[in-house]
Structures are given as structure tokens and as C-alpha cells.
Amino acid sequence: MNTPFVIRLILWGFVSGLTACSSLGPAAIFRPDSPHEQYAGSLRTANLDHTALGIDWLAAGERALSDSLRITIPYRESGYFAAQKPFAIGYRVDAQRGDKLLIRVTVQGLASARVFIDVFELASGEPKLAVSAKADTNLLTWDVRRTQTHLIRIQPELLRSGQYTISVTREPLLSFPVQGRDSRQIASYFGESRDGGKRPHEGIDIFAPRGTPALASIAGTIVGVGENRLGGHVVWLADATLRQRLYYAHLDRFNVTNGERVAVGDTIGFVGNTGNARTLAPHLHFGIYADGEGALNPLPFVRRGLGPARQMPLSASRLNDTVRTTPVQALVRRSPRTDAPILRQLPKTSALIITGGTDAWLRVELPDGLTGYITAASTETLSKPLRRRAITIPTVLTDGAQAGAATVKILPVGTTVEVLGTAGMYQLVKAAGGFTGWVTGL
């Protein structure tokens, strides 16, 4: 009996069991916090981490934390993962405290597949898990707590294949605090000089007609209603969940009392120009103060969302296809942008596998495993061979363009092959009978 086939059947049954039920029993396995860690722990408990597929799955998850690609929000792309090759991918994004990011992964395939979505903070150098999607959902809504680069990792469970689309969009964490206005009406920003440079501006100023309702940006408790020299009529709104207080100043009049509970959108007061704003047009000074930290920049918390991602995902028919480069020098970049860092410069006819991307930028994998983005316009299909050659000595056809790759077939003398692409000293060829692989020496 075919031993590798038996191992795959055992793995298939195990993974199917994980998908069909939510638990293997509290005594069976240790449960870490995230669904991804729970799944990895299940593999180890069942000794599947000693099988080739189990080892490759764990390694793919770790590799995605370092070999990650950079994207700019909002972003959307498609990709493909195959059952026979464990897959994981990491996307680096810059996010600010106060952002609310929505990460959605949809999968199309013959069988349902769980996809683990995890977000890591990268400030300390070592990835630190920040938040994970629940095991039964493909959507992660994430309130950013630190301004820094984060890494989004997506990884499907073992023995599942399918096409996926990931989209990452950004919305404000808080509701806008002035009725009928949005961040386009902000005229003075956090950190600007005040009183001849003696102090910084600890908020944002939102201009609106006198009497315009100032609204609760979040549900919470009114913990201060009164007056002070700078702010005039002011209100403090405390939010216990985020451990911060919202400050409404220069109000014309109040609409709340101390101790009152308010919901998002309730009227706190009305826009005016009291306090040191008497010579200015009516506006709301809006500030945010975090417990133990002081003033925060309110702009990321309330600025307009960026809307849906506009990139067109790559057609499913192109996923997992092999293409070759057409320019004399083609550039593989870390991000799908022309100003992104260059990962590799490739000569003409270099062969690449499309692993995902958009209609304008392909995410590709090189024969040596490097992954990056290349413009779709700089590639072509392999529909026409570069040339034809007759084999003059017995030649090994391998499944990879590197030493130690597995042998597919020995091509006898006289075999005619079509050269489809190149990778250094290797040529990608198609031989009679439909055999495709790599050779050297042509």
C-alpha cells in the first residue's frame, strides 16, 4: 500500500474532525488563546507536527511573520492556496491609534475551509499577537491601540484548497462629534502652537454654525459639566472600555448633566465660542485624554473612512498560472506600488508563478521561493514557446529550478522540448507527453 497516501488519509480524517466539531475535549489538548494556536496545539498533540504536511504548515505560519508583503489601506486582492502545499501569507500595514480596521477573507472552493486571521504588533522587533478573528468567522474588526506597523497573517487549515479574496478597509473608531459635519470641517489640528508657542493645541477644532448639536462620539458617562477659562462651557464624557475621556469645549450651552449615561449620537451640548474663543467663529474644540497618558491626537479617531477597496481582484482563471517576464529588466517589489522597495531584478523570460494579486499587480513566487509583486503588464503567458530544442544527451527533467529537486523524468536523446521560461542556469521546458519541468544545459 502507498504509505504517503495512507498518511494523507489519516490527516484528512483528523482535519475533517477539527472542522466538524468545536472541541476535542478539555482533557485532550491544551487550548491557547487564539484559534490558530489552538489548531497548532491540536496538530502537536496528535503528533502530526512530525509529518511532512504538519511540519510544513507550522513552518509556513512562522515564515509569514517575516516574509511579509506591505500593503496600503484600503486594499483588496485575490489568491489561491492548494491542499498539497501548506500556505500562509503576511501583509504589513501602517495603522494609527484610533483607526478601526475591517479585515475580511472570503474563500471559494469545493469544500468549506477555515481560515485563521491574526494581527501582530511589530514595534518590539518580535511579532506580538494583538488580536485574532473568532474561529467561526472570516471577518475581523480591530480597534488599533498603538500607532505602528502591524502584520496581518492569514492561513487556512490543512488539506483545504480554494481561491480567497482579502480586503482591508479603515473606518473611524469614534462617531463624528458635530452633527452634519465630518473631518473635512476640521480647521485646526492637534499639536499646533498656542499662546505664542507656550503650549500645544491638545485637540482639533471643528467649525459649524452656532447652535449646531455636539454629539456623543461613544457611549459613556458624563463626568464633568462646567466652565473653565480656556474652554468656556465644557463637558467631559468618560468611556470605560477604551479608558479615555472625551473633552467638548467652547459650547454655547449644555444638554447633559453630571452622571448621565449617553449613547452614541446623543446631544452633549451646542456649538459656540465661549472661553478663549470669543473672538473666533463658533466651533467645537474636541479632545481625547487617555488614562495615565494625557492628550491623544483625536484625528485618527474621527476622520472619514476611506471607503471600500478599489483594486480589482485577479481573475480566478489566472491563479496558480506560470508566466514569464517581458522587459529586459523586470522588477519584483515588496508592495504593489511603483515606489516600493525592489526585492529582485529579473532578466527577460524569467518564469514566475502567480499566487495572487490584482488585475494590475500580480503577487508572484519565484522558483527559489521569493514572493513579491510585479506589474501584470511586464509579464506574458507561456502560450508560445521561446524556442524548440532537441535533446542531444540524456537529460534529467526536475520539478524545481534548484539542486536537489526531484526528478520528473529522464529525457532520452532526440526528445524535442519547448523552452517556456528561464531561472538562472535552468530552463522551464515542456516535453512530449505533456511533461513540464526544469532542465539545464540547453
Side-chain angles (χ1 to χ4, degrees), residues 124-381:
S124 62
E126 289 294 323
K128 178 183 177 182
L129 183 64
V131 64
S132 300
K134 294 181 179 179
D136 58 350
T137 180
N138 63 351
L139 174 66
L140 175 59
T141 301
W142 162 41
D143 299 343
V144 179
R145 299 300 176 91
R146 291 183 178 87
T147 298
Q148 59 178 294
T149 300
H150 293 73
L151 186 145
I152 302 167
R153 181 183 66 189
I154 63 171
Q155 183 171 18
E157 60 184 337
L158 276 171
L159 297 175
R160 292 290 188 265
S161 60
Q163 175 197 352
Y164 72 89
T165 300
I166 180 173
S167 66
V168 186
T169 57
R170 189 203 77 202
E171 298 294 336
L173 181 58
L174 303 180
S175 178
F176 202 74
V178 178
Q179 188 178 82
R181 295 293 191 268
D182 60 33
S183 53
R184 290 173 294 187
Q185 278 73 52
I186 298 173
S188 182
Y189 292 88
F190 182 83
E192 293 180 355
S193 176
R194 290 290 187 271
D195 293 342
K198 294 180 180 179
R199 63 182 180 89
H201 191 214
E202 292 189 344
I204 55 176
D205 291 339
I206 306 161
F207 285 79
R210 185 183 306 278
T212 302
L215 309 176
S217 290
I218 200 166
T221 304
I222 302 300
V223 294
V225 177
E227 292 188 43
N228 64 45
R229 181 179 61 84
L230 295 177
H233 296 329
V234 301
V235 170
W236 290 90
L237 168 59
D239 167 43
T241 302
L242 296 178
R243 297 173 59 84
Q244 60 192 27
R245 292 164 296 134
L246 309 186
Y247 179 59
Y248 296 75
H250 306 317
L251 296 173
D252 188 63
R253 61 189 190 279
F254 309 118
N255 196 55
V256 290
T257 57
N258 269 321
E260 184 177 343
R261 292 282 300 172
V262 295
V264 175
D266 284 352
T267 299
I268 296 292
F270 301 91
V271 171
N273 62 344
T274 56
N276 68 349
R278 288 185 298 273
T279 61
L280 302 176
H283 65 276
L284 174 71
H285 171 94
F286 181 70
I288 299 177
Y289 294 81
D291 292 353
E293 297 182 62
L296 305 178
N297 183 3
L299 181 61
F301 289 82
V302 298
R303 63 185 171 184
R304 298 174 70 211
L306 296 172
R310 295 175 177 83
Q311 296 88 355
M312 289 297 296
L314 188 66
S315 169
S317 63
R318 301 202 64 193
L319 294 172
N320 220 32
D321 274 358
T322 301
V323 294
R324 62 183 175 233
T325 57
T326 55
V328 173
Q329 185 180 78
L331 304 178
V332 180
R333 298 182 180 271
R334 181 173 293 278
S335 307
R337 295 170 43 179
T338 55
D339 61 349
I342 297 171
L343 298 177
R344 186 75 58 82
Q345 298 180 5
L346 299 176
K348 188 175 182 178
T349 73
S350 296
L352 311 164
I353 297 176
I354 300 174
T355 60
T358 68
D359 60 347
W361 286 89
L362 306 178
R363 192 177 76 239
V364 295
E365 182 178 338
L366 279 61
D368 64 0
L370 178 72
T371 298
Y373 290 94
I374 192 169
T375 60
S378 63
T379 66
E380 65 180 6
T381 66

Side-chain angles (χ1 to χ4, degrees), residues 361-437:
W361 286 89
L362 306 178
R363 192 177 76 239
V364 295
E365 182 178 338
L366 279 61
D368 64 0
L370 178 72
T371 298
Y373 290 94
I374 192 169
T375 60
S378 63
T379 66
E380 65 180 6
T381 66
L382 306 183
S383 57
K384 292 183 179 180
L386 298 172
R387 54 189 176 274
R388 290 181 173 83
R389 290 287 187 269
I391 299 297
T392 57
I393 59 173
T395 300
V396 178
L397 183 72
T398 65
D399 65 356
Q402 60 273 329
T407 298
V408 176
K409 184 179 176 63
I410 304 296
L411 302 178
V413 174
T415 302
T416 299
V417 296
E418 296 178 342
V419 179
L420 305 176
T422 61
M425 61 184 289
Y426 293 87
Q427 298 85 43
L428 177 64
V429 302
K430 182 177 180 181
F435 292 99
T436 301

Side-chain angles (χ1 to χ4, degrees), residues 85-97:
K85 184 178 180 181
F87 169 87
I89 189 168
Y91 299 95
R92 292 182 184 235
V93 298
D94 292 327
Q96 287 186 278
R97 183 173 183 172

